[in-house]
Amino acid sequence: MVLSSAPEQGPSLILIEGGLTAIAFAVAFCLPRLGSAWFSRVECAFGRLARRKSLSVAVVGLAALLLRLAILPLCPIPQPFIHDDFSFLLAADTYASGRLTNPTPAMWVHFESFHITMKPTYMSMYFPAQGLVLAAGKVLTGHPWFGILVVTALMCSAICWMLQAWLPPTWALFGGILAILRLGLFSYWINTYAGAGSIAALGGALVLGALPRFMNRVRLRDGLLLAAGVILLGTCRLYEGMLLCLPVAFVLVRWIFFGKNRPAPAVLLRSAVVPLTLIVAAGAWMGYYNYRVFGSPTTLPYTVNRAQYGIAPYFVWQSQLREPAYRHKVMREFYYHDQLPIFEEVHRLSGFVPQTLMKAVSGVLFYAGLALLVPLIMVRRVVLDRRLRFLILCILVLMAGQLGEIFLIPHYLAPFTAAFYAIGLQAMRHLRLWRPGDQPVGMTLTRLIVTLCVVLAGVRLGAEPLHLGLPGWPGPWSSEWYGSDGRSGTTRAQIESRLEQEPGRQLVIVRYSPEHNSLDEWVYNAADIDNSRVIWAREMDEAENLELIHYYKDRAVWLVQADTKPANVSLYPSPAQQAINVSR
């Protein structure tokens, strides 16, 4: 998965990145003063901007926004293709329609799909933050993706702002630019509708950036920003958000009651009451949301859907769930053959360590790739550095928490993104001072790594015309920073667009082959199914199909055979025609 290229394409991006990193390492030792004068001039100009902290934060966010818009001709607005994409888009469509959830549709067994609950209500199984962002994009601009674009730009700004509280301003600005190059342009956080990675990273950056500022000045503004970060984490990634908030809460409590510079009670009260009220109000709203969508204020997202469809739980301390009575073979394939083996592997001592290492590799490849691994040769110095001791504690809490999770996709780690950047940049600062043989090897290597990140972004931009290897879908979730190819999801989208141009309303019955890949799902619908122009349904047995067709008797009925090459679309045979075909 790491080194292979896509079929009929050139070498993979990760292989190119590894080769260029090795070259940079060799050049730094052989030519330790390469381009020193030119790099110094660039760094001086960069430093002048970095010292204007507010401007730096604004420039990072604006650059993330404009650069992603500028590359739309080569990296267009993505088509939904991951299971989670359609689930979050269902939430967006629901919120944009002014509802928190939808009634269970009459023919719901034909519409069952991944990560969507049908009972007690028809809705995404996920926390609401990502759906709300997508809904805002849809209402304000006409397309949900623009909501993700804006939040990702805010995330890059927030990372820069957070780093200003922990590192010198020049390094904070560089961290913001690095976030643009590695997260804001090509990663699946910006090029899918799934995961809420940008929202969780934004929330984590607000929490970690506001904490030292609040403790230094005890200002209401910093308290409000910290509360905003907590609320974002609680409405998108509750478990990992709690892992971040636990050490933050511990430090705040210790400071308030035992700190040498603890604030006066009156000052603390003025600065903390409103933020705490907002957090409590957000918790109450989540309880109401859970009640409306899942039937109880204490029933969290995920739990109803997993109880109805899942076999493997999310945490190692949980027992395997009883296998449900699946109505569709493809759904059993996903939960039984794709997820359960990972759970069983983790619960074997011989499999726990390899699975844990694979999770670590997945996170490292996403956040650092290979180029940004080089500064980690200074990790010992970073660990001994008092400046970042609290952030290192946060990472240790995350590592302990991740040992309890069965699965890991990089956006699970998103609340800690700003902490990763701070630690990596501090390692880079130590690397810059490295002088083996009294030569400025570390300085040159640092400069070449920065240059390499910019060059790699350019290479990724030209990956399609250059026929470089990019992972496609369905297949392993791309763990690399450069995301997947731009063709994923296009076939289904093209068929849906073509059917929407047909006169009247359409019903599409999807047929899979016995060898169908359960990751390649086609059956997803809008919030108001009955009033949708195109409805997607699963093919079942003859009697159930006939019941579905009779219920939607005013619609043209189509058969999509998703696994033919190319996918085949034809009029669905009438019951009379089916009888003739059987007699033949």
Side-chain angles (χ1 to χ4, degrees):
M1 183 182 73
V2 175
L3 298 180
S4 64
S5 59
E8 302 179 1
Q9 291 187 323
S12 68
L13 263 293
I14 197 73
L15 188 60
I16 293 173
E17 183 176 0
L20 292 177
T21 302
I23 292 172
F25 206 90
V27 169
F29 275 91
C30 297
L31 301 170
R33 301 183 187 277
L34 178 68
S36 180
W38 182 84
F39 278 116
S40 295
R41 288 194 294 270
V42 172
E43 289 168 355
C44 287
F46 195 77
R48 286 193 294 271
L49 172 60
R51 284 189 289 272
R52 303 176 65 180
K53 293 185 177 181
S54 298
L55 180 61
S56 296
V57 172
V59 166
V60 166
L62 192 60
L65 192 71
L66 296 179
L67 284 174
R68 186 61 186 89
L69 289 173
I71 65 174
L72 281 177
L74 288 176
C75 296
I77 294 175
Q79 297 288 350
F81 62 94
I82 302 170
H83 292 168
D84 303 51
D85 281 347
F86 295 97
S87 180
F88 282 114
L89 287 171
L90 168 62
D93 190 32
T94 303
Y95 302 143
S97 301
R99 301 185 301 275
L100 285 181
T101 190
N102 310 283
T104 302
M107 306 302 296
W108 65 273
V109 294
H110 287 272
F111 307 137
E112 285 183 289
S113 201
F114 300 100
H115 311 322
I116 289 173
T117 59
M118 284 292 178
K119 288 181 173 292
T121 64
Y122 167 47
M123 187 52 175
S124 167
M125 78 170 190
Y126 290 114
F127 283 83
Q130 179 86 341
L132 290 169
V133 166
L134 293 169
K138 183 175 182 177
V139 171
L140 297 176
T141 69
H143 199 289
W145 179 77
F146 288 101
I148 296 179
L149 174 65
V150 172
V151 168
T152 302
L154 290 173
M155 174 200 72
C156 295
S157 283
I159 289 174
C160 178
W161 176 78
M162 176 271 181
L163 293 171
Q164 289 173 350
W166 295 90
L167 298 175
T170 302
W171 290 92
L173 177 56
F174 172 58
I177 293 174
L178 200 61
I180 298 173
L181 296 175
R182 308 292 283 201
L183 299 176
L185 297 181
F186 309 111
S187 77
Y188 76 87
W189 288 9
I190 185 69
N191 290 317
T192 71
Y193 302 87
S198 295
I199 301 174
L202 170 60
L206 290 176
V207 169
L208 292 175
L211 175 66
R213 290 177 169 93
F214 184 78
M215 293 176 66
N216 286 335
R217 299 189 180 97
V218 198
R219 295 183 301 185
L220 176 61
R221 181 181 70 182
D222 297 321
L224 290 173
L225 290 171
L226 196 154
V230 171
I231 292 169
L232 288 175
L233 293 174
T235 54
C236 68
R237 295 223 60 85
L238 181 61
Y239 177 72
E240 293 82 8
M242 288 175 58
L243 293 179
L244 178 62
C245 290
L246 281 174
V248 170
F250 173 78
V251 167
L252 282 173
V253 170
R254 189 182 66 171
W255 168 66
I256 290 170
F257 290 102
F258 307 106
K260 293 181 180 179
N261 63 335
R262 61 182 180 272
V267 174
L268 182 63
L269 191 65
R270 286 196 302 270
S271 303
V273 167
V274 176
L276 287 173
T277 301
L278 290 176
I279 293 173
V280 171
W285 182 85
M286 273 301 304
Y288 176 70
Y289 177 83
N290 294 336
Y291 167 72
R292 288 292 308 277
V293 180
F294 306 112
S296 168
T298 58
T299 299
L300 294 174
Y302 292 85
T303 52
V304 168
N305 185 273
R306 297 302 294 185
Q308 292 175 349
Y309 298 107
I311 304 176
Y314 281 130
F315 299 103
V316 295
W317 58 80
Q318 295 175 317
S319 301
Q320 179 178 326
L321 304 174
R322 180 179 299 177
E323 182 176 338
Y326 292 107
R327 287 168 284 270
H328 308 285
K329 177 178 179 291
V330 66
M331 297 193 73
R332 185 180 187 276
E333 288 292 317
F334 175 73
Y335 291 107
Y336 188 84
H337 292 291
D338 291 345
Q339 288 195 345
L340 185 59
I342 299 175
F343 170 82
E344 293 173 337
E345 190 73 12
V346 168
H347 276 74
R348 287 195 294 267
L349 186 61
S350 60
F352 179 80
V353 173
Q355 286 294 326
T356 301
L357 290 175
M358 285 180 62
K359 291 195 294 184
V361 169
S362 174
V364 168
L365 284 177
F366 180 77
Y367 281 99
L370 296 178
L372 294 176
L373 280 180
V374 175
L376 294 184
I377 62 177
M378 297 293 166
V379 67
R380 178 178 176 275
R381 296 186 185 181
V382 175
V383 171
L384 298 176
D385 196 331
R386 293 178 60 88
R387 176 189 290 264
L388 300 185
R389 186 166 295 175
F390 172 73
L391 297 182
I392 293 171
L393 172 64
C394 290
I395 299 302
L396 292 176
V397 172
L398 170 67
M399 293 171 63
Q402 284 301 313
L403 292 176
E405 287 197 89
I406 301 295
F407 310 101
L408 185 138
I409 306 172
H411 62 260
Y412 292 10
L413 310 177
F416 294 80
T417 299
F420 294 148
Y421 272 72
I423 292 171
L425 290 167
Q426 186 71 350
M428 196 173 289
R429 291 182 68 203
H430 285 292
L431 178 63
R432 186 179 170 88
L433 301 177
W434 187 41
R435 296 179 63 88
D438 203 31
Q439 295 294 319
V441 173
M443 178 177 292
T444 301
L445 184 55
T446 301
R447 289 167 168 172
L448 291 177
I449 289 171
V450 174
T451 304
L452 182 55
C453 289
V454 177
V455 170
L456 285 169
V459 173
R460 169 59 183 88
L461 188 60
E464 291 285 339
L466 293 174
H467 303 290
L468 299 178
L470 290 173
W473 188 264
W477 190 297
S478 174
S479 295
E480 295 82 2
W481 62 269
Y482 49 76
S484 62
D485 65 47
R487 297 183 296 275
S488 302
T490 55
T491 304
R492 183 188 184 278
Q494 289 168 355
I495 291 174
E496 184 168 49
S497 177
R498 195 165 74 220
L499 292 176
E500 285 176 345
Q501 297 171 13
E502 292 286 329
R505 300 193 295 179
Q506 319 298 318
L507 171 64
V508 181
I509 297 178
V510 177
R511 176 182 296 169
Y512 294 136
S513 70
E515 296 77 29
H516 176 73
N517 188 328
S518 62
L519 297 176
D520 185 18
E521 184 51 62
W522 287 57
V523 179
Y524 284 102
N525 289 288
D528 187 356
I529 293 180
D530 285 355
N531 291 314
S532 299
R533 189 169 180 82
V534 178
I535 295 177
W536 296 79
R538 297 189 185 280
E539 185 176 48
M540 300 180 72
D541 64 36
E542 184 177 341
E544 289 170 313
N545 292 340
L546 188 60
E547 182 183 10
L548 176 72
I549 293 170
H550 283 169
Y551 184 84
Y552 292 108
K553 56 182 179 295
D554 61 332
R555 292 176 178 265
V557 186
W558 301 86
L559 173 67
V560 169
Q561 299 181 72
D563 295 318
T564 59
K565 302 297 181 183
N568 184 53
V569 184
S570 60
L571 285 172
Y572 195 82
S574 66
Q577 183 63 48
Q578 290 186 55
I580 294 173
N581 292 339
V582 170
S583 65
R584 289 177 179 174

